[in-house]
């Protein structure tokens, strides 16, 4: 069991956020109890070479303590040491992460000894969570990268064991008169050590979360918009934030303000066609006098179709096969290159990319470079990117393209990170569920409070009965209207031939969510897959899952639960 003594949504470094996600993925640890601290600052009194230092992660287990140094981005190694790839094939040197980890481990060891803790082993470890690192010809035994089959946490624990065994072997070889024996720790001892470290190292614990009522939610939205207004003097802004932090609200506000000048021509892109339809409707209401076509609102897939049609080459119209194989970036690049040669490129004054974590690996940077009315668009154009790395499925089709695009855009942009969930939750339960599911966990036996309820089913025929029961309950007791409820399924349950899909089709109180009925008043409750509703929200969400152990299902549960403002029901297959 892993216990994180920090709020993962408060991590601002992209590499550390990805490392945190990998640390929390399910792993067979045979009952190991692990505690993790993030961002522990080290004073100059203990650090050997710096006025102060910082440990990215410190992991406590029964064997001892491991200090983990994280380097995000795409890493390389050459004759001058380690470096990180930047945009346009440029590189930047970085400090030797193994040296940093060793120095931080020595600092913690010295601190513990000063406090009478002489028998605690402290090891060091390095993590490159966003790349596959080529170790050919290099001997880095205590390094984890994405190319390894073993998980991050199991490798950290194995490495800690190996470092201890290596210490004992060297001690025996020296035939030391005083033999050190490292202590094996139980959970009480581990918790005691975390408490000892807190005052000196000041771990940034963010354990409190306020309950939001409607007034507080509205105040936070206004406050967030006010902060983002201040950033709007910048022509290029990137906003990262968790589900419910107001990214799409800001996108709408931004476009409305940009379009006070009716001559401006803008492009809004997202992957989700429902989010695009919702944004189109909101913009029409907010800008009724704006000339038609001045603001194009398009799902990215349809946008690429338009490029191919503009070129007049149907062979470049993308297919879902292109998406599944990670080839849509190549299609975009070819379309843009040929349109440029033919002088047919459509140009825009600004581009807004919402839920952009779905677009980074699909050619978004090339779209910005080609379609903005500016010389050197990445440096001088107007673009606004809203994203959340947590909502990008862990197995990116092209991780290198994803990271290179994200980092190239960040390098040329003002960057702001939102932390608060602005939705009106009645307690902490939904937030806790979202965090657990985002890290590959969902425990039906855990007490998430009144906001979250788990219900199991053994046979598909039980699902409609359970749905009717709890829909009636929400409608009667909570006065929740049908338009404020949604049923979301994991993708496997919506495939052709699925008995669940056939049963839901027969339910008179349900109807499939479509573009046409998205905002149409109805007495029926809509249903669709969880992955199709990014950026949207409802008061009550019913999640129907085939399994609570499959990583893909847990990711969809994370997306689905993050759509809820008030309550989540998880109706899952009992296994």
């Amino acid at each position: 069991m892993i216990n994180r003594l920090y709020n993962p949504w408060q991590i601002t470094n992209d590499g550390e956020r990805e490392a945190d996600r990998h640390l929390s993925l399910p792993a067979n640890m045979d009952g190991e109890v692990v505690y993790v601290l993030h961002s522990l600052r080290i004073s100059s009194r203990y650090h050997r070479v710096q006025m102060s230092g910082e440990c990215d992660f410190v992991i406590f287990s029964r064997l001892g303590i491991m200090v983990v140094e994280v380097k995000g981005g795409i890493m390389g190694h050459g004759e001058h040491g380690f470096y990180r790839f930047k945009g346009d094939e440029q590189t930047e040197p970085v400090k030797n992460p193994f040296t940093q980890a060793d120095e931080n481990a020595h600092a913690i060891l010295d601190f513990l000894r000063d406090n009478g803790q002489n028998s605690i082993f402290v090891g060091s470890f390095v993590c490159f969570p966003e790349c596959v690192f080529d170790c050919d010809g290099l001997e880095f035994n205590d390094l984890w990268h994405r190319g390894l089959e073993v998980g991050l946490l199991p490798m950290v624990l194995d490495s800690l064991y190996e470092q201890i065994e290596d210490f004992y072997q060297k001690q025996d070889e020296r035939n030391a008169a005083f033999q050190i024996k490292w202590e094996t720790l139980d959970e009480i001892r581990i918790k005691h050590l975390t408490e000892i470290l807190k005052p000196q190292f000041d771990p940034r614990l963010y354990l409190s979360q306020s309950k939001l009522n409607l007034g507080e939610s509205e105040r936070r939205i206004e406050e967030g918009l006010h902060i983002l207004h201040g950033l709007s003097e910048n022509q290029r802004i990137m906003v990262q934030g968790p589900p419910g932090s107001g990214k799409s609200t800001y996108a709408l506000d931004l476009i409305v303000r940009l379009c006070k000048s009716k001559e401006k021509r803008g492009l809004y892109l997202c992957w989700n066609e429902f989010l695009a339809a919702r944004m189109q409707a909101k913009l029409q209401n907010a800008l009724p006098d704006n000339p038609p076509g001045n603001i194009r609102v398009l799902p990215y897939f349809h946008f690429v179709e338009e490029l191919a049609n503009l070129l007049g080459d149907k062979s470049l119209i993308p297919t879902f096969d292109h998406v599944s194989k990670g080839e849509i970036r190549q299609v975009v690049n070819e379309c843009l290159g040929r349109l440029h040669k033919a002088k047919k490129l459509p140009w825009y004054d600004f581009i807004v990319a919402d839920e952009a974590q779905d677009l980074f690996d699909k050619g978004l940077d090339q779209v910005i470079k080609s379609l903005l009315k500016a010389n050197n668009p990445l440096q001088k154009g107007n673009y606004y990117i809203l994203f959340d790395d947590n909502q990008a499925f862990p197995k990116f089709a092209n991780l290198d393209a994803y990271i290179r695009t994200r980092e190239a855009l960040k390098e040329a942009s003002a960057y702001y990170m939102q932390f608060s969930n602005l939705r009106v939750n009645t307690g902490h339960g939904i937030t806790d569920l979202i965090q657990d599911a985002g890290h590959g966990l969902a425990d039906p036996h855990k007490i998430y409070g009144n906001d979250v309820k788990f219900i199991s089913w053994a046979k598909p025929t039980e699902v409609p009965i359970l749905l009717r029961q709890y829909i009636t309950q929400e409608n009667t007791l909570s006065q929740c209207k049908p338009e404020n409820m949604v049923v979301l399924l994991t993708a496997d349950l919506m495939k052709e031939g699925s008995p669940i899909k056939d049963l839901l089709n027969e339910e008179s109180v349900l109807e499939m969510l479509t573009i046409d009925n998205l905002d149409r008043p109805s007495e029926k409750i809509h249903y669709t897959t969880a992955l199709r509703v990014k950026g949207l929200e409802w008061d009550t969400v019913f999640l129907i899952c085939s399994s609570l152990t499959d990583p893909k299902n847990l990711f969809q549960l994370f997306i689905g639960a993050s759509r809820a403002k008030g309550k989540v029901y998880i109706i899952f297959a009992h296994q």
Side-chain angles (χ1 to χ4, degrees), residues 190-460:
I190 290 172
K191 292 169 80 171
H192 177 61
L193 289 172
T194 63
E195 292 296 325
I196 290 175
L197 285 170
K198 283 180 188 177
Q200 186 71 31
F201 290 92
D202 187 28
R204 302 171 188 172
L205 303 181
Y206 301 92
L207 299 178
S208 62
Q209 295 181 11
S210 61
K211 297 181 182 180
L212 298 184
N213 56 31
L214 183 58
E216 175 66 7
S217 177
E218 290 175 349
R219 184 194 68 78
R220 287 195 183 186
I221 290 172
E222 290 299 319
E223 184 180 85
L225 290 176
H226 180 73
I227 292 170
L228 292 166
H229 285 174
L231 286 176
S232 296
E233 296 301 317
N234 297 280
Q235 293 181 301
R236 296 165 299 283
I237 302 173
M238 292 188 75
V239 179
Q240 180 168 355
S245 58
K247 297 187 296 295
S248 294
T249 300
Y250 175 58
L252 174 66
D253 178 79
L254 178 67
I255 294 172
V256 169
R257 286 185 293 107
L258 285 169
C259 292
K260 286 181 179 177
S261 168
K262 295 179 182 178
E263 290 74 34
K264 281 190 178 289
R265 191 161 187 266
L267 175 65
Y268 171 93
L269 295 171
C270 64
W271 186 254
N272 176 8
E273 62 179 351
F274 290 133
L275 178 57
R278 177 67 56 81
M279 184 62 71
Q280 179 73 65
K282 288 183 175 181
L283 285 171
Q284 286 175 349
N285 290 333
L287 299 167
D289 299 327
N290 209 264
N294 262 27
I295 306 301
R296 304 294 316 289
V297 177
L298 288 169
Y300 195 77
F301 189 88
H302 295 164
F303 164 73
V304 181
E305 283 183 323
E306 281 201 1
L307 292 181
N309 287 326
L310 186 61
L311 189 62
D313 187 345
K314 291 187 176 181
S315 69
L316 287 177
I317 293 177
T319 65
F320 288 103
D321 196 42
H322 285 124
V323 177
S324 64
K325 292 181 178 179
E327 297 174 350
I328 198 164
R329 182 181 182 88
Q330 288 82 351
V331 174
V332 169
N333 288 348
E334 184 167 352
C335 281
L336 292 172
R338 289 174 58 182
L339 285 169
H340 173 73
K341 289 181 180 178
K343 297 183 179 180
K344 291 183 178 181
L345 282 172
W347 278 359
Y348 298 92
D349 296 293
F350 66 88
I351 294 174
V352 176
D354 200 359
E355 300 289 350
Q357 71 276 352
D358 297 323
L359 308 180
F360 285 147
D361 65 333
K362 297 177 176 65
L364 178 62
D365 52 336
Q366 296 302 319
V367 170
I368 290 173
K369 287 178 183 178
S370 300
L371 303 188
L372 280 178
K373 289 181 181 178
N375 181 25
N376 192 3
L378 280 186
Q379 300 293 328
K380 298 179 181 179
N382 283 42
Y383 59 82
Y384 308 89
I385 313 295
L386 303 104
F387 72 105
D388 176 18
D389 279 337
N390 285 327
Q391 294 187 64
F393 190 72
K395 299 294 184 182
F396 300 119
N398 188 339
L399 182 66
D400 280 7
Y402 182 99
I403 294 172
R404 287 175 189 269
T405 301
R406 185 193 66 195
E407 294 306 304
L409 293 171
K410 282 176 69 173
E411 191 174 332
S413 311
Y415 176 64
Y416 177 65
M417 187 161 186
Q418 296 171 293
F419 298 123
S420 299
N421 187 319
L422 303 180
R423 294 193 177 125
V424 192
N425 295 342
T426 56
H428 301 195
I430 294 177
T431 300
D432 290 346
L433 174 65
I434 292 169
Q435 290 184 356
D436 283 356
H439 288 84
L441 305 168
D443 185 357
H445 304 295
K446 180 175 177 178
I447 298 174
Y448 289 97
N450 294 328
D451 301 339
V452 177
K453 185 174 182 64
F454 284 86
I455 309 108
S456 65
W457 53 274
K459 298 178 181 178

